[in-house]
């Protein structure tokens, strides 16, 4: 049974929200037992690549081929993706899950501004601004009652703030890539992002001294 256009959008949003929220919890649990953020992410990227290749091998999904003219547009996006994932894992290792979720919820506010300023899209309507303002007020209310913020000040939110700006840029730039790169499948962007993303994560692991601590 094929869903209607509106139902497909709603299903996609619900599925994304579930996956995104559960991933935060799973990553927090992983970091509790394996305090090596970059290495954990690298394993996740390899697992995603394996999943895509197995799906393609068993004819369960179509996958775009690796083409060099598609690689170049994804290089900057991959840097932002890798940095965003690293900031996310650092935030989870130093802050609680609620803080990461609150900062991630602020991303649509920045993305809407980036879309209008850099991509020439329309500014949000008054109703949209109202909804975004409610999200911002909720985040402010959370910060005012957060014990970590009260005890450490603004430095408690360094990694979550950096994470917010990086993923907002990543989302806005990702829209530009999707509209500008002629891929035929939904798995193509995932393949390129994960394939190009794991080498920077290994570099982050080296810079963070994770290999030494792993020994």
């Amino acid at each position: 049974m094929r869903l209607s256009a509106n139902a497909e959008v709603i299903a996609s949003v619900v599925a994304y929200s579930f996956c995104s929220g559960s991933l935060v919890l799973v990553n927090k649990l992983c970091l509790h037992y394996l305090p090596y953020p970059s290495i954990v992410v690298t394993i996740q990227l390899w697992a995603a690549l394996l999943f895509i290749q197995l799906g393609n091998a068993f004819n369960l999904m179509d996958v775009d081929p690796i083409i060099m003219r598609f690689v170049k547009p994804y290089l900057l996006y991959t840097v932002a993706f890798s940095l965003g994932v690293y900031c996310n894992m650092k935030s989870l290792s130093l802050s609680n899950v609620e803080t990461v979720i609150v900062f991630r919820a602020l991303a649509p506010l920045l993305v809407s501004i980036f879309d209008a300023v850099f991509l020439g899209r329309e500014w949000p309507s008054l109703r949209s601004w109202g909804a975004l303002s409610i999200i911002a007020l909720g985040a402010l209310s959370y910060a005012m009652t957060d014990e970590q913020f009260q005890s450490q000040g603004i430095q408690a939110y360094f990694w979550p703030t950096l994470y917010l700006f990086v993923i907002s840029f990543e989302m806005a730039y990702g829209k530009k890539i999707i509209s500008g790169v002629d891929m035929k499948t939904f798995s193509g962007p995932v393949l390129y992002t994960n394939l190009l993303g794991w080498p920077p994560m290994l570099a982050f692991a080296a810079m963070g001294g994770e290999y030494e601590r792993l020994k």
Side-chain angles (χ1 to χ4, degrees):
M1 182 181 67
R2 184 173 179 80
L3 298 175
S4 65
N6 289 337
E8 188 173 351
V9 170
I10 294 174
S12 298
V13 171
V14 171
Y16 174 78
S17 300
F18 174 78
C19 293
S20 179
S22 60
L23 182 60
V24 171
L25 297 175
V26 170
N27 281 340
K28 183 69 174 180
L29 183 63
C30 289
L31 290 175
H32 177 73
Y33 294 100
L34 296 171
Y36 313 106
S38 301
I39 294 177
V40 170
V41 172
T42 301
I43 295 173
Q44 292 175 346
L45 297 181
W46 286 345
L49 289 172
L50 178 61
F51 178 81
I52 292 173
Q53 294 304 321
L54 288 176
N56 187 40
F58 288 97
N59 296 318
L60 298 176
M61 68 174 69
D62 295 323
V63 180
D64 286 281
I66 302 298
I67 302 175
M68 286 306 300
R69 65 185 176 90
F70 288 169
V71 170
K72 186 177 179 180
Y74 270 88
L75 290 178
L76 177 59
Y77 177 79
T78 300
V79 172
F81 168 78
S82 301
L83 183 59
V85 174
Y86 180 77
C87 291
N88 178 39
M89 299 298 272
K90 288 291 291 185
S91 299
L92 285 172
S93 63
L94 299 174
S95 305
N96 54 42
V97 173
E98 296 89 340
T99 298
V100 176
I101 292 176
V102 167
F103 272 83
R104 187 180 182 88
L106 288 171
L109 178 60
L110 286 183
V111 171
S112 63
I113 296 174
F114 290 163
D115 280 352
V117 174
F118 299 110
L119 300 181
R121 298 173 183 261
E122 293 185 3
W123 287 94
S125 64
L126 290 177
R127 185 170 65 175
S128 297
W129 277 122
L132 293 171
S133 298
I134 292 175
I135 295 175
L137 288 174
L140 179 61
S141 300
Y142 171 81
M144 294 175 63
T145 58
D146 182 23
E147 294 182 359
Q148 188 177 19
F149 179 74
Q150 293 176 353
S151 62
Q152 300 180 20
I154 193 64
Q155 70 180 44
Y157 287 167
F158 172 78
W159 284 108
T161 301
L162 185 58
Y163 170 60
L164 169 62
F165 278 93
V166 172
I167 64 167
S168 297
F169 168 79
E170 175 195 337
M171 290 178 180
Y173 187 67
K175 293 181 182 180
K176 180 179 180 181
I177 291 180
I178 291 176
S179 62
V181 178
D182 185 25
M183 289 194 179
K184 307 300 183 184
T185 68
F186 290 117
S187 59
V190 180
L191 173 64
Y192 277 72
T193 301
N194 286 272
L195 184 62
L196 298 173
W198 66 263
M201 295 312 305
L202 291 181
F204 286 144
M207 290 186 291
E210 294 182 27
Y211 301 130
E212 288 77 6
R213 290 187 280 116
L214 190 60
K215 297 176 182 179

